[in-house]
Amino acid sequence: MPFRPSPISSMHVARSGLRLGWPAVRDRRVWWTEDRPDEGGRTTIVLRSPDGTRRELLPAPWNARTRVHEYGGSPYTVTPAGEVVFANFADQRLYLLGDDGEPTPLTPEGSSRYADLSVHGGEVWCVREHHGDDGTVTRGVVSVPLDGGEPREHVTGSDFYASPSVSPDGAHLAYVCWNHPLMPWDGTELRVTSLTGGGTRTLAGGPRESVLAPSWRDASALYLVSDRSGWWNLYEARLDGTPPRPLHPAEEEFVRPPWHLGGLPYAVLGDGRLAVLHGRADLRLGLLDPATGTLDDLDLPYTGWGGVLAADGASLVGVGFSATTPRAVVRLRPSSGEAEELRRDLADLPDPALLPVPRPVRVGGGVHAFLYEPPEPDGPQPYVIFLHGGPTAHAGTELDLEKAFLTSRGIGVLDLNYGGSTGYGRAYRELLKGLWGVADVADTVAAAQWLAAEGLADPARIAVRGGSAGGWTVMASCCRSDAFAGGVSYFGVSALGPLAAHTHDFESRYIEWLVGPDPAVHAEREPLALAGQVSCPMLLLQGLDDPVVPPEQSEAFVAALSERGVPCTYLAFDGESHGFRRAETRAAALAAELAFYQQIFQ
């Protein structure tokens, strides 16, 4: 059965994403980052001036990208004078971008990486990650003079750090820290260290409380996000030891999971109110009065926002989106409600009739998902179940041309937030604890059964695709069920022992939470050990420079399927890491995926 013709090509999709992010604002000037898919996926920094002009600050080959935790985060900060300090991807050094446009190095050459940057007292304060010659990784909070020099280390000893912030009077340093085997959504501590008299105290957090995103209200108190109630809510904590005070208790999340370092999900406005992000899955934008707890959403055409807000008193900047509106850097004036788009992720949108609008659904007894139906379906259609990575991440509803690429051709999409996803409280994300490869697979199979039972999908034409941890669930689902016509794995995990031995430090102990420490259980769960049960065709795609999920993971699974004669296609891309960034790679991968569906959906 041929697919419908569509004007949305694989190259159209590949070249469309600028990945706008990390907004900053100061004195009516706005900065943000943009990717360049046609330049190898490098990241540049863009400045919008008060007169409306927009210019790129970093020409090629400069690449503003940090590798701390391998996933990185905000790669730059802005000084009070409006200068930009950024991390350069090639050498991971910090640079100061001068008025003449020529970057000057601030940190020495070596094996250190820097992230979560802010400026106070003529110094850049940040997290430093040092990689020793013996393979050890250590981290701490350091400050770097704006005129360059050796970083000064202020705190160390924990495995991980985030959100270093100096109090307005310069007397205290606040930061978040945690240790293996915890991940930051499991348990962290908010600590404050005196920069004048020494001494450190813990204000909030512990092994069963995730505290994130602290910032100073004034010299005596901080705002923070904690899930002590079971949901990531906003609190105020005082240095005098008063228990943290909730600002707006709600069964909603006020932050995204901290896979990346840097930025805040709220911003202090000139009148003392907080602009906040809150909701489930997608986060809405509202104004919160910390004195009364009143929270009012802004009436805007964006149904969701990226995880970072910035304000300079008068202006608020964020990245908004909807299912039919591409990601856009938006500047708002909360006093008037006026909003202005400064830059869109997509310059040319397809016909709006080709953009699918998601419908939230519950499948398999309460699993959250978003349904994208093809236009004018005539009976049951072929469907692809999308599985996000992480697995502690979530699927939202922002415009995604990959989905439109499929639905415009008559292929439906179900974007699944299986148990373990974020956006629905701590209890929901802990449904996966110890059950990776079981609970996520059960939810994926239940989603396929639901699609068939609802008459939406032809049960013989349901595929499953996902990347990273989502690739693990793709492979595990195809091992454990015959519900799928085929599976597509992007840089997926197939074996736990090699992953624990060779992956990066940030996730090196994550398996203990997801599966447990017992190698016998690993052998029962991992797709590589169950490859003999796969009967459907599979497509595996992999970056050869991936430090998170090394190529051996895909290669071993491909070899196991080939030995059994199971149809399997393997595409490896030189120069690509964990998540494809080059336009030509993304286009080739999507074209191969469509060809795969054409074969299995006949």
Side-chain angles (χ1 to χ4, degrees):
M1 174 180 173
F3 297 141
R4 301 173 188 172
S6 171
I8 304 176
S9 69
S10 60
M11 186 54 77
H12 184 190
V13 177
R15 286 177 171 164
S16 62
L18 298 177
R19 300 190 190 188
L20 305 173
W22 306 112
V25 58
R26 184 182 293 274
D27 300 328
R28 298 177 58 215
R29 289 173 291 178
V30 181
W31 295 259
W32 63 86
T33 58
E34 291 184 10
D35 281 6
R36 295 285 184 263
D38 288 330
E39 298 178 30
R42 77 175 187 93
T43 300
T44 188
I45 300 170
V46 176
L47 169 64
R48 163 77 176 240
S49 299
D51 62 4
T53 59
R54 185 179 70 228
R55 64 188 178 96
E56 181 178 334
L57 299 182
L58 289 180
W62 295 102
N63 188 354
R65 186 177 161 202
T66 172
R67 288 187 60 188
V68 172
H69 296 180
E70 294 300 347
Y71 294 114
S74 175
Y76 79 100
T77 190
V78 179
T79 74
E83 299 171 307
V84 171
V85 176
F86 71 96
N88 184 47
F89 182 70
D91 57 12
Q92 290 299 291
R93 300 172 72 184
L94 293 182
Y95 288 79
L96 177 68
L97 185 62
D99 292 336
D100 60 357
E102 187 62 32
T104 302
L106 297 182
T107 55
E109 295 179 343
S111 301
S112 291
R113 307 171 182 180
Y114 306 88
D116 228 338
L117 315 176
S118 63
V119 175
H120 182 91
E123 294 182 295
V124 182
W125 295 74
C126 56
V127 174
R128 178 177 64 180
E129 177 182 276
H130 181 73
H131 292 249
D133 294 337
D134 59 355
T136 58
V137 181
T138 57
R139 299 177 182 86
V141 176
V142 303
S143 61
V144 181
L146 281 173
D147 56 2
E150 192 68 31
R152 291 193 301 146
E153 190 168 67
H154 298 276
V155 294
T156 189
S158 294
D159 291 331
F160 300 97
Y161 291 91
S163 304
S165 179
V166 180
S167 60
D169 61 1
H172 294 93
L173 170 67
Y175 53 91
V176 169
C177 59
W178 68 98
N179 291 307
H180 282 307
L182 298 175
M183 299 298 285
W185 41 85
D186 298 327
T188 64
E189 293 183 1
L190 168 59
R191 294 180 182 174
V192 174
T193 293
S194 172
L195 295 175
T196 56
T200 297
R201 70 186 103 169
T202 299
L203 294 189
R208 289 286 301 162
E209 180 184 0
S210 172
V211 180
L212 305 170
S215 70
W216 292 91
R217 188 200 70 181
D218 52 37
S220 65
L222 301 101
Y223 296 121
L224 59 97
V225 177
S226 167
D227 70 350
R228 58 176 52 196
S229 70
W231 297 82
W232 273 316
N233 282 189
L234 270 168
Y235 291 79
E236 178 187 283
R238 302 185 61 83
L239 293 185
D240 62 12
T242 303
R245 177 178 70 90
L247 300 184
H248 183 85
E251 291 188 349
E252 293 185 327
E253 308 281 47
F254 282 68
V255 71
R256 295 186 183 277
W259 283 99
H260 304 96
L261 291 176
L264 292 171
Y266 58 90
V268 181
L269 304 178
D271 59 7
R273 290 181 299 171
L274 300 177
V276 302
L277 300 173
H278 69 107
R280 299 190 179 190
D282 289 333
L283 300 181
R284 306 183 305 278
L285 177 59
L287 300 181
L288 171 63
D289 185 336
T292 65
T294 303
L295 174 57
D296 297 310
D297 286 342
L298 295 173
D299 184 15
L300 296 166
Y302 311 102
T303 58
W305 293 78
V308 175
L309 297 175
D312 66 353
S315 297
L316 172 68
V317 179
V319 177
F321 59 81
S322 76
T324 55
T325 303
R327 291 172 66 92
V329 177
V330 182
R331 178 170 56 193
L332 303 101
R333 291 177 174 80
S335 58
S336 64
E338 179 185 356
E340 178 187 10
E341 284 193 0
L342 306 184
R343 177 71 154 163
R344 277 195 167 193
D345 192 52
L346 300 173
D348 298 313
L349 280 177
D351 183 340
L354 298 177
L355 300 178
V357 177
R359 174 162 61 95
V361 297
R362 302 288 286 272
V363 305
V367 181
H368 297 274
F370 294 103
L371 179 70
Y372 296 80
E373 297 185 73
E376 301 178 3
D378 182 17
Q381 301 294 304
Y383 261 81
V384 179
I385 298 173
F386 276 41
L387 301 174
H388 62 71
T392 310
H394 71 270
T397 62
E398 67 179 279
L399 189 152
D400 181 357
L401 283 190
E402 282 193 350
K403 295 185 178 72
F405 178 82
L406 296 177
T407 58
S408 64
R409 289 170 166 80
I411 304 171
V413 171
L414 183 73
D415 211 356
L416 187 67
N417 276 318
Y418 48 84
S421 303
T422 47
Y424 303 98
R426 185 174 186 119
Y428 194 81
R429 71 177 184 263
E430 290 191 341
L431 290 175
L432 204 57
K433 185 175 183 179
L435 294 174
W436 195 37
V438 176
D440 51 329
V441 170
D443 289 348
T444 304
V445 174
Q449 294 169 340
W450 180 86
L451 285 169
E454 292 291 314
L456 296 165
D458 178 348
R461 294 190 294 160
I462 299 175
V464 58
R465 65 101 81 171
S468 191
W472 155 282
T473 305
V474 166
M475 289 184 272
S477 297
C478 292
C479 290
R480 293 182 176 273
S481 173
D482 59 1
F484 306 102
V488 179
S489 168
Y490 281 79
F491 33 86
V493 177
S494 70
L496 297 177
L499 180 71
H502 299 294
T503 194
H504 59 136
D505 183 59
F506 178 62
E507 292 184 274
S508 62
R509 302 282 297 278
Y510 195 13
I511 292 170
E512 295 179 25
W513 189 93
L514 289 168
V515 181
D518 188 352
V521 176
H522 295 182
E524 294 173 358
R525 297 278 184 84
E526 59 189 20
L528 185 59
L530 302 173
Q533 301 176 29
V534 177
S535 59
C536 65
M538 299 200 69
L539 169 65
L540 280 76
L541 305 103
Q542 177 72 47
L544 292 178
D545 295 341
D546 191 337
V548 179
V549 180
E552 293 78 11
Q553 292 280 328
S554 292
E555 292 166 358
F557 196 72
V558 169
L561 295 185
S562 298
E563 286 179 6
R564 296 189 60 250
V566 177
C568 181
T569 300
Y570 176 55
L571 297 179
F573 298 95
D574 192 25
E576 290 288 2
S577 181
H578 199 66
F580 300 157
R581 302 177 70 89
R582 298 173 176 172
E584 58 270 26
T585 301
R586 294 162 62 184
L590 193 56
E593 193 175 344
L594 181 64
F596 178 75
Y597 296 142
Q598 183 72 64
Q599 294 173 350
I600 66 173
F601 287 157
Q602 289 181 353

